[in-house]
Amino acid sequence: MSFLLLFLYFFQTVTAAGLAVSETDTLGSRFRSDLEHFIEMADPDLDESVYLQILELFEQLSEEKINPNQAGIHQLLELPGVTLRDAQNLIQEREKNGTFHSLSDLLRIDGFNERKLTLIAPFITFESALSKRNNPFSTLNRFLENGRFEAYSRYRQTLEQMEGYRRQAEEGGFIGSPVNYYQRFRYSSSHLSMNLTQAKRAGEPLPDLTQFDSASWHVALRNTGNLRMAVLGNYSVSFGQGLLLWNGGSFGKNMQTTGSISKNERGIQPLNSANAEAAFRGIALTAGKRLQVTGFYSSNNRTSVMHDDGSVNFPREGSYYRTVRERQQMKDLGQETFGGRVRLESRVGYWGVSAFLNRFERPIAQGQRPYHRFLFQGRNLSGFSTDYRFQAGPAHFFGEIAQTGRSGRAFLGGAGFSAGNSTDLILLYRNYQTGYQGIFGSSFSEQSGYPRNESGIYFGFSHRFSNRVLIRAFRDQFSFPGPRFQSDQPSAGSEWLLLTEYRPRRDLTIYALMRFKTREQETTGQDPFGREVRLLIPVSRNSMRIQAEKQINREIRIRSRIEILRSSPPNETGYLLFQDLRVQLRPNIRLDARVTLFDTDSFSSRVFQFENDLLYVMTNMMLHGQGQRIYLLLYASLFSWADIWIKAATTLYENRTAISSGLSEIHGNRKSDIGFQVRFRF
Amino acid sequence: MIQRILFKIFFSLSLPFLLLMIPQGLSAQSSMGARSVSMGLTGVALPGTPWSAFSNSALLPAHNRNVSFYGFRYVGIAEITDMAALFTLPVFHGTLAGAVHKYGFNLYQESRFLTAYKFASGRFHTGISLSYYHVNIGGNYGSAGTLGVDLGFATELTDRLWFGSRLTNLNQPSYGSSDEMLPREVAAGLGYYFSETLFMTAELVKDVLFPLSFRTGLELELVPSFFLRAGFTTEPDTFSAGIGFTQERWLINIGMQQHNPLGLSPALDMGILF
């Protein structure tokens, strides 16, 4: 604790000394694109692939900004943390008191405070959209309206040498250099989007500039007459509540408790990230207004482990291609997918029907464990679903029911209520059969991976006592009726989250977050006769976090956090403390710095922190053991057409002589990373 | 065939013991009515239902006479079914209620005969109930009975917010001359009308022998006289949902509770008002 105080003191002193105090600054500049705020909503214990999708969502939202003066209720609900009541209040305020001209205007709306604005600011624009003419192709100029070209170049590297680079390629070592390189070229206008993204990850070779291991591209037309979207290249699909088709990123359970629980479909979206394996590649079209019809075809190459008999494992996402062995399996599995959707929109909501047909080039093999019995095997899979979303009085209802193959079914249904002026409630029930195989799905669920083998009920609650005090809570109760990974028998669990936020002044926010999670896990024990039996024991992870954030003046923001985590069994404790500083050195230069201390008994009591990073890079640091982490991030807008980001980070472990294991092992107790990114915009 | 007979013998011998092992939190016998079942077995701060006679007699409705019937089939097993009938009658300064409750089957049966009286002074409501409990174990194991006293309190803190509490089996009864104590519970909760159509209640229930249980429920009047309800409990983890339909002269409520791993339990009640 004294550590924290010391830092607070230090920064206060620096402030007093008068760091570059710049002239006038609007409220807007305080809410710069802040991925950290966005991503911190999510559960830190999720799969990395989920985060990559959330990152993609962040990019999409920030590139196709929503104008609060024109957006309808469904569009507003796409904004993170915006509840139905927020959207209704916004529209009401707009109808009553006219248009909004700036972010601070949004503070007029009941329930909107600066914290909420921080979250949605990157996705909002007040520039009025183009005029709507019936024939948008009349002139080329109209078609290229608001055109903009962007190029990104990003370099990142871990400075310490990993085991993989010590070994020769023939001995199973990494073939390429430890450099992470990413580049992207994009042209977008109101109706046209063209993009090429290429990436080489650490350890992957790059013989020449045409041979990036990860790449995506697209040419897309949007909002031209009856054509809502047409994409050639890589794209993501998100329909309904995500039971059947959803690779567009979404939050599951999150700190907002009542926001972002029901899904707001984004349909077909051109892909921006290099992570093309997780999405589709081919052609997709959406046309129509109230009655929308979507069709897509995809032919993608996936990476999976091949067996001697020619069958393969189910393809994974996020595979690396660093070693000879990894490269042999690279994109060796062809996958063809057809899909479509019909959506009928009415004044109160919409109703849709979706379907897909999928074919793998080789048969997917069945594994040996009990839970493998229910997973997809073979080559062909089809699925269909129907979903709804509508409003009735103070409530909105949403749901989807889906089937894959001949038998597996899944259902999700929920309702959200805005009660009185300051209360939101949400309720979500899901029941996914063990045999459901929604391999493209990503719906509300406790487990990672596609929705299956789970039933449960979620209650979310948030209540604003006054402008200063807000509480949020959720409880999720779930069970897994069939076997799952590391558990051959049915199991269950539950989770509580409780958040109290206190804002005594506009520039100070303090919150306390408690999270209690228990899940049954199978272990081996003995019965009274000394025979070996498989027992279910509840395993819990409980954490408590207190965070304070203070805007000292227009230029300086400090943020302190302490987090304590208890896990059992084994009974362990983990601590994380950080002090974060943001300084707006000049109107165009911003510095982020953070010092983190962590001390956990072992991996079971691991702690997490999200970090700000180069734009569109996601850093969710998992920390365990004892140590300290420091990072510095500098952002500068050099010219109106050029921005740069520089990040340097180092983690020093106290009680280790090696970090990580296998090919990623680093000899020593320090891991340092540097990154540099530049963006040109014309 | 022999296996089936053996199974039947085993089943009939072991069932009473199995039944006794079912935790009190599950048997829900202080919360009756399909509305309570739908709303996470709440009832201590749930105004407007005659089934308050069991869950908090201070909340008995003051104005109308009514007769109600209720059935709850635990996880679909006919042998373990709650059945109850009830009347309420406004009398001098308060409300009088009488009820019968039956649980079990010929090998194990519990019966309860209840009278309750509630009176209000301003916004403060008090209720007391006296029950005769009778348990009969078939196969010549005998039977026994005892008397239990429950107290209930409720306050309208504001026009929208209710507080309620109950004390179950205050007199610490046990069956006959055995040391088989009846469940003793303390419960307290809040009920809040967010608007005329949305009500939420949350309560804490502690039985001396079982962990503290949190229960909460939500009721939405979607269209006039049609209600949607949902709720959940902890210790044990259950969740539930249901619907209700109310007319001037009669009402009907249907509820469904999900317990993991036991499964689904349906509940139904009907009432006539006159």
Side-chain angles (χ1 to χ4, degrees):
Chain A
M1 210 56 206
S2 62
F3 172 78
L4 275 178
L5 291 174
L6 191 75
F7 261 85
L8 280 167
Y9 175 74
F10 172 71
F11 289 130
Q12 299 268 18
T13 322
V14 169
T15 325
L19 259 181
V21 179
S22 81
E23 46 290 40
T24 50
D25 195 358
T26 57
L27 185 66
S29 76
R30 224 190 274 172
F31 305 120
R32 273 178 216 281
S33 186
D34 196 341
L35 178 61
E36 188 190 1
H37 267 118
F38 182 73
I39 211 141
E40 202 159 61
M41 278 170 55
D43 187 345
D45 225 344
L46 289 174
D47 263 16
E48 204 197 331
S49 62
V50 179
Y51 282 113
L52 290 175
Q53 288 192 357
I54 292 180
L55 191 66
E56 171 75 23
L57 176 70
F58 179 84
E59 272 192 66
Q60 284 177 5
L61 288 170
S62 32
E63 280 173 5
E64 241 187 291
K65 292 185 171 51
I66 288 173
N67 186 334
N69 292 317
Q70 288 158 349
I73 211 152
H74 296 299
Q75 232 182 334
L76 290 170
L77 284 169
E78 286 173 15
L79 294 168
V82 167
T83 63
L84 181 74
R85 212 214 21 257
D86 292 333
Q88 284 169 337
N89 284 349
L90 187 148
I91 289 171
Q92 206 176 18
E93 174 66 28
R94 186 170 77 193
E95 283 165 0
K96 213 165 83 187
N97 294 325
T99 53
F100 310 103
H101 302 289
S102 69
L103 269 173
S104 37
D105 273 4
L106 295 180
L107 291 170
R108 284 184 352 218
I109 306 161
D110 205 23
F112 277 63
N113 57 26
E114 284 167 43
R115 193 170 172 77
K116 183 157 271 167
L117 291 192
T118 314
L119 210 57
I120 63 174
F123 319 118
I124 280 189
T125 178
F126 295 92
E127 284 168 28
S128 64
L130 45 139
S131 50
K132 287 174 189 156
R133 296 276 175 84
N134 285 334
N135 186 1
F137 291 98
S138 59
T139 63
L140 188 66
N141 278 350
R142 181 170 302 286
F143 195 58
L144 301 178
E145 204 168 19
N146 301 330
R148 196 176 67 183
F149 175 78
E150 284 180 325
Y152 290 79
S153 177
R154 177 196 302 159
Y155 152 85
R156 287 189 302 151
Q157 184 171 359
T158 300
L159 298 179
E160 289 78 14
Q161 198 178 33
M162 290 182 185
E163 181 60 29
Y165 301 103
R166 290 174 203 276
R167 293 191 201 167
Q168 294 299 310
E170 301 79 53
E171 295 163 4
F174 298 153
I175 298 169
S177 76
V179 171
N180 256 303
Y181 180 72
Y182 164 104
Q183 64 181 23
R184 177 169 169 200
F185 308 96
R186 174 183 167 86
Y187 174 79
S188 70
S189 72
S190 303
H191 296 301
L192 180 67
S193 165
M194 291 188 286
N195 184 75
L196 172 68
T197 306
Q198 294 164 309
K200 164 211 175 307
R201 287 168 300 178
E204 293 175 347
L206 183 64
D208 65 71
L209 286 177
T210 57
Q211 297 188 42
F212 283 92
D213 286 343
S214 313
S216 85
W217 61 274
H218 73 248
V219 178
L221 292 177
R222 58 177 167 237
N223 299 330
T224 55
N226 273 328
L227 188 71
R228 300 287 290 224
M229 182 68 83
V231 190
L232 184 69
N234 297 94
Y235 56 90
S236 69
V237 171
S238 43
F239 289 157
Q241 293 299 315
L243 279 188
L244 196 71
L245 286 157
W246 193 287
N247 43 32
S250 64
F251 295 94
K253 294 182 223 175
N254 66 70
M255 274 166 65
Q256 299 287 322
T257 68
T258 50
S260 306
I261 294 297
S262 72
K263 280 191 157 66
N264 304 286
E265 65 170 17
R266 297 178 51 76
I268 304 282
Q269 290 290 329
L271 193 75
N272 296 311
S273 77
N275 183 31
E277 286 166 57
F280 294 112
R281 184 185 66 185
I283 185 161
L285 284 168
T286 300
K289 290 206 158 76
R290 291 208 137 174
L291 177 70
Q292 267 183 26
V293 181
T294 301
F296 68 89
Y297 166 75
S298 162
S299 168
N300 210 352
N301 289 325
R302 307 286 300 268
T303 295
S304 70
V305 178
M306 208 196 297
H307 300 282
D308 292 338
D309 63 357
S311 66
V312 291
N313 282 353
F314 192 80
R316 277 174 314 166
E317 286 170 19
S319 307
Y320 284 92
Y321 311 117
R322 302 167 301 189
T323 64
V324 174
R325 207 185 127 96
E326 282 171 351
R327 294 191 76 77
Q328 276 167 357
Q329 296 163 355
M330 183 169 150
K331 298 175 190 165
D332 63 347
L333 175 68
Q335 178 180 18
E336 268 189 307
T337 315
F338 289 94
R341 174 168 174 81
V342 177
R343 185 179 107 162
L344 189 63
E345 199 176 318
S346 79
R347 208 169 42 79
V348 292
Y350 58 74
W351 171 71
V353 179
S354 323
F356 74 80
L357 268 173
N358 181 67
R359 182 181 172 82
F360 287 107
E361 189 186 31
R362 296 176 218 276
I364 306 290
Q366 191 174 47
Q368 301 297 313
R369 304 290 307 165
Y371 75 95
H372 286 138
R373 230 169 66 78
F374 301 95
L375 298 180
F376 173 67
Q377 53 168 322
R379 295 168 64 149
N380 300 313
L381 180 70
S382 63
F384 56 93
S385 80
T386 175
D387 62 272
Y388 60 89
R389 183 185 177 93
F390 66 90
Q391 263 174 276
H396 77 283
F397 296 84
F398 54 93
E400 181 166 3
I401 182 161
Q403 176 168 340
T404 56
R406 287 205 185 84
S407 57
R409 289 204 184 99
F411 169 73
L412 177 151
F417 311 93
S418 6
N421 277 329
S422 44
T423 313
D424 280 308
L425 292 156
I426 199 155
L427 212 149
L428 184 149
Y429 171 76
R430 74 270 190 197
N431 190 341
Y432 311 146
Q433 290 182 352
T434 309
Y436 180 70
Q437 298 169 339
I439 57 171
F440 301 114
S442 168
S443 60
F444 188 94
S445 150
E446 159 64 18
Q447 302 174 100
S448 56
Y450 69 76
R452 58 175 295 271
N453 187 32
E454 179 171 326
S455 83
I457 192 152
Y458 172 94
F459 280 81
F461 173 83
S462 77
H463 182 76
R464 196 158 45 94
F465 283 100
S466 66
N467 282 329
R468 292 178 175 172
V469 182
L470 174 81
I471 58 164
R472 300 178 187 281
F474 76 65
R475 175 176 165 84
D476 189 34
Q477 200 170 292
F478 42 84
S479 65
F480 314 115
R484 61 190 178 97
F485 180 62
Q486 292 183 338
S487 177
D488 294 347
Q489 49 190 313
S491 50
S494 65
E495 180 173 10
W496 279 103
L497 178 143
L498 215 80
L499 175 81
T500 313
E501 191 182 289
Y502 176 54
R503 284 172 61 89
R505 294 203 308 266
R506 272 181 61 177
D507 55 359
L508 178 65
T509 307
I510 301 168
Y511 76 77
L513 172 73
M514 286 182 282
R515 210 161 174 154
F516 310 96
K517 184 164 180 170
T518 304
R519 246 164 93 151
E520 285 172 341
Q521 217 170 64
E522 209 174 47
T523 68
T524 305
Q526 286 194 335
D527 72 357
F529 303 102
R531 293 172 297 196
E532 196 173 274
V533 283
R534 301 288 286 165
L535 298 170
L536 282 180
I537 52 159
V539 174
S540 64
R541 265 174 76 83
N542 302 327
S543 67
M544 160 117 192
R545 174 197 294 175
I546 297 172
Q547 176 169 309
E549 186 176 310
K550 170 128 171 76
Q551 192 79 35
I552 291 175
N553 53 29
R554 284 186 187 282
E555 291 75 33
I556 297 181
R557 184 195 75 189
I558 56 172
R559 188 197 282 171
S560 314
R561 172 185 298 183
I562 176 162
E563 181 157 338
I564 302 167
L565 187 134
R566 297 273 309 157
S567 72
S568 118
N571 279 312
E572 288 188 359
T573 311
Y575 297 94
L576 180 141
L577 292 95
F578 75 57
Q579 177 59 51
D580 189 283
L581 166 75
R582 168 170 287 189
V583 187
Q584 195 76 41
L585 293 165
R586 293 282 171 98
N588 60 335
I589 302 177
R590 187 177 69 219
L591 180 76
D592 277 293
R594 180 183 293 180
V595 179
T596 306
L597 279 189
F598 56 94
D599 181 357
T600 81
D601 289 340
S602 82
F603 179 76
S604 316
S605 45
R606 63 198 174 275
V607 286
F608 294 87
Q609 73 170 9
F610 292 107
E611 292 177 5
N612 276 314
D613 210 313
L614 314 178
L615 183 65
Y616 302 148
V617 174
M618 200 273 312
T619 309
N620 177 23
M621 281 301 295
M622 180 180 71
L623 299 164
H624 57 95
Q626 274 179 320
Q628 188 181 23
R629 179 172 169 83
I630 300 175
Y631 79 76
L632 277 174
L633 171 67
L634 184 78
Y635 162 74
S637 175
L638 299 179
F639 308 99
S640 61
W641 49 271
D643 305 85
I644 58 162
W645 291 259
I646 301 170
K647 183 172 179 178
T650 182
T651 311
L652 181 67
Y653 292 89
E654 300 296 334
N655 54 355
R656 285 203 221 176
T657 53
I659 299 168
S660 199
S661 61
L663 292 176
S664 309
E665 182 173 322
I666 293 172
H667 305 303
N669 63 346
R670 180 187 291 280
K671 182 171 187 271
S672 312
D673 302 274
I674 50 167
F676 175 79
Q677 175 166 293
V678 58
R679 176 178 68 185
F680 300 106
R681 279 209 274 202
F682 305 104
Chain B
M1 190 64 199
I2 291 171
Q3 273 181 343
R4 275 183 66 183
I5 292 167
L6 280 174
F7 177 75
K8 269 193 172 171
I9 292 169
F10 173 77
F11 185 71
S12 50
L13 285 177
S14 57
L15 194 59
F17 303 102
L18 288 174
L19 292 175
L20 289 173
M21 280 163 60
I22 291 181
Q24 171 65 22
L26 171 68
S27 67
Q29 287 166 348
S30 52
S31 308
M32 282 195 218
R35 183 168 175 238
S36 163
V37 169
S38 317
M39 295 174 71
L41 297 181
T42 51
V44 73
L46 180 67
T49 168
W51 296 103
S52 299
F54 288 91
S55 55
N56 183 356
S57 47
L59 288 170
L60 279 168
H63 299 300
N64 41 39
R65 287 174 288 180
N66 108 86
V67 177
S68 300
F69 302 92
Y70 166 62
F72 182 60
R73 182 163 285 193
Y74 290 95
V75 294
I77 299 173
E79 280 78 6
I80 44 173
T81 298
D82 273 323
M83 283 192 288
L86 166 86
F87 75 86
T88 65
L89 201 64
V91 291
F92 183 68
H93 281 316
T95 306
L96 183 73
V100 198
H101 166 235
K102 184 177 145 321
Y103 167 76
F105 64 118
N106 61 339
L107 291 178
Y108 178 87
Q109 184 154 312
E110 286 177 13
S111 311
R112 180 177 177 185
F113 303 92
L114 173 145
T115 32
Y117 179 69
K118 155 275 172 72
F119 56 94
S121 134
R123 291 179 160 225
F124 187 73
H125 307 249
T126 314
I128 181 163
S129 79
L130 188 69
S131 301
Y132 174 71
Y133 294 90
H134 186 86
V135 61
N136 176 51
I137 300 182
N140 294 326
Y141 283 97
S143 65
T146 187
L147 279 176
V149 180
D150 298 354
L151 275 184
F153 305 97
T155 322
E156 288 172 79
L157 295 173
T158 69
D159 289 342
R160 297 173 151 207
L161 183 66
W162 282 82
F163 169 80
S165 66
R166 73 160 180 264
L167 303 161
T168 310
N169 290 323
L170 198 60
N171 58 328
Q172 305 175 353
S174 55
Y175 278 123
S177 56
S178 71
D179 57 358
E180 186 64 45
M181 300 282 279
L182 269 70
R184 277 162 290 144
E185 272 181 9
V186 179
L190 293 171
Y192 187 68
Y193 287 92
F194 287 111
S195 65
E196 288 191 355
T197 54
L198 187 65
F199 174 77
M200 185 179 168
T201 180
E203 63 187 57
L204 287 168
V205 181
K206 176 72 184 121
D207 183 295
V208 189
L209 295 175
F210 292 97
L212 184 70
S213 168
F214 174 78
R215 303 170 181 184
T216 186
L218 192 69
E219 181 178 69
L220 173 77
E221 190 170 2
L222 190 64
V223 291
S225 66
F226 179 71
F227 297 86
L228 291 181
R229 303 180 179 119
F232 71 87
T233 72
T234 70
E235 304 291 348
D237 281 358
T238 72
F239 57 86
S240 48
I243 53 171
F245 194 66
T246 306
Q247 286 291 305
E248 205 177 316
R249 288 259 167 259
W250 56 273
L251 57 97
I252 183 163
N253 297 304
I254 298 170
M256 196 69 108
Q257 187 197 43
Q258 166 73 32
H259 176 282
N260 182 63
L262 294 182
L264 276 178
S265 309
L268 172 73
D269 78 43
M270 283 175 287
I272 300 162
L273 305 153
F274 52 91

